[in-house]
């Protein structure tokens, strides 16, 4: 049973427009949600996160929105740039227990920003 | 500052052969992880080590063994490789404190093909 789902495998957006990537989860015990960006032949790199007690977090062109009642989060990229073309993974973190951080990942959405 | 380093980056094996993937981190993190990435499956946790001297199974541990050699190094061993283990393997590390997001830092990945 997949606890973190990204239902759109791919998304194409024109340069300068808004990109919206979506993620759904089922486990209400997650306390942080993270977005990772991955270029081909590289490891995933952390992009932005949000605590489960907040509904919005913004960092430059990137904003993450969390709707706890719907168990849904989204990543907004405004304006989109060609360098944003990558695979984006949504991930969720279990509540802190003083030990390891086992992230549960979605299947990823490939974003292509066209000129 | 190298971060998380994985070797080898590419490997081709025949069914039944064994091999070890090596991982080292220089960030003084307590926790280390091995994930695999497959098309349409996202990243799935194989094994993790919350701290030096401990290891635990993740979501897909069958066919793998791990060793936490010291605080810096965490290796993944395939004793008898199978075609189903063809994948890209990522090592990661973290140091989570109370209130942290649980962010993982990933290596560049090791692409393994089992014929």
């Amino acid at each position: 049973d997949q606890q973190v789902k990204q239902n759109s495998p791919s998304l194409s957006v024109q340069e300068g427009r808004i990109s919206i990537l979506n993620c759904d989860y089922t486990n209400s015990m997650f306390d942080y949600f993270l977005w990772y960006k991955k270029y081909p032949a590289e490891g995933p790199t952390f992009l932005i996160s949000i605590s489960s007690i907040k509904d919005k977090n913004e960092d430059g062109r990137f904003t993450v929105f969390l709707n706890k009642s719907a168990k849904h989060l989204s990543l907004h990229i405004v304006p989109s740039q060609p360098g944003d073309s990558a695979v984006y993974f949504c991930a969720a973190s279990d509540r802190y227990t003083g030990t390891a951080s086992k992230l549960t990942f979605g299947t990823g959405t490939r974003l292509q920003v066209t000129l | 500052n190298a971060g998380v380093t994985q070797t080898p980056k590419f490997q081709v094996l025949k069914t039944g052969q064994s091999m070890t993937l090596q991982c080292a981190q220089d960030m003084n993190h307590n926790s280390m992880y091995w994930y695999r990435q497959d098309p349409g499956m996202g990243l799935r946790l194989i094994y993790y080590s919350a701290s030096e001297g401990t290891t635990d199974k993740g979501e897909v541990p069958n066919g793998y063994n791990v060793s936490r050699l010291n605080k810096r190094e965490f290796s993944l061993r395939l004793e008898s490789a199978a075609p189903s283990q063809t994948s890209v393997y990522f090592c990661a590390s973290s140091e989570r404190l109370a209130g942290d997001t649980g962010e993982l830092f990933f290596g560049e990945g090791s692409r393994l093909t089992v014929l």
Side-chain angles (χ1 to χ4, degrees):
Chain A
D1 179 34
Q2 208 164 6
Q3 297 188 67
V4 179
K5 299 178 183 179
Q6 294 176 259
N7 292 317
S8 298
S10 64
L11 175 67
S12 182
V13 172
Q14 275 190 321
E15 182 181 10
R17 300 287 192 112
I18 183 172
S19 295
I20 301 176
L21 293 88
N22 294 303
C23 179
D24 297 296
Y25 64 95
T26 57
N27 187 346
S28 57
M29 297 301 289
F30 291 139
D31 66 346
Y32 275 95
F33 300 92
L34 302 85
W35 286 94
Y36 277 79
K37 179 178 181 179
K38 186 184 179 305
Y39 292 119
E42 294 184 10
T45 55
F46 171 74
L47 187 59
I48 190 170
S49 66
I50 187 167
S51 165
S52 61
I53 63 173
K54 296 191 175 181
D55 55 18
K56 177 182 175 181
N57 188 29
E58 191 171 356
D59 183 2
R61 297 186 296 115
F62 302 92
T63 303
V64 57
F65 296 92
L66 176 62
N67 182 335
K68 283 187 69 175
S69 61
K71 292 191 172 65
H72 176 85
L73 64 153
S74 60
L75 173 68
H76 293 213
I77 306 173
V78 183
S80 300
Q81 298 175 354
D84 296 329
S85 297
V87 176
Y88 289 79
F89 289 100
C90 172
S93 177
D94 290 343
R95 294 193 186 281
Y96 177 71
T97 58
T99 57
S101 171
K102 294 184 295 176
L103 296 186
T104 301
F105 285 84
T107 53
T109 297
R110 182 178 302 277
L111 173 65
Q112 183 174 9
V113 179
T114 59
L115 298 174
Chain B
N1 191 346
V4 178
T5 303
Q6 296 180 228
T7 56
K9 290 194 169 27
F10 301 94
Q11 184 73 49
V12 179
L13 290 177
K14 294 181 179 178
T15 297
Q17 287 185 319
S18 63
M19 78 157 298
T20 300
L21 298 175
Q22 307 285 356
C23 175
Q25 53 94 7
D26 62 4
M27 294 174 282
N28 202 34
H29 287 167
N30 273 309
S31 303
M32 298 185 73
Y33 314 79
W34 278 104
Y35 281 85
R36 60 178 287 176
Q37 184 196 2
D38 302 292
M41 302 293 289
L43 290 105
R44 293 180 294 169
L45 182 63
I46 305 171
Y47 270 94
Y48 69 100
S49 171
S51 60
E52 187 178 354
T54 69
T55 60
D56 284 286
K57 295 179 180 179
E59 181 185 355
V60 289
N62 291 344
Y64 305 95
N65 286 301
V66 291
S67 296
R68 184 73 184 267
L69 305 171
N70 48 56
K71 189 172 184 178
R72 289 187 65 247
E73 298 173 289
F74 188 40
S75 63
L76 178 72
R77 182 160 178 83
L78 287 70
E79 291 290 352
S80 178
S84 61
Q85 295 178 304
T86 293
S87 187
V88 181
Y89 292 84
F90 290 98
C91 179
S93 68
S94 73
E95 184 69 30
R96 188 176 191 188
L97 303 176
D100 284 354
T101 62
E103 176 188 352
L104 302 187
F105 296 83
F106 285 88
E108 293 188 339
S110 299
R111 182 176 293 275
L112 175 65
T113 301
V114 183
L115 304 175

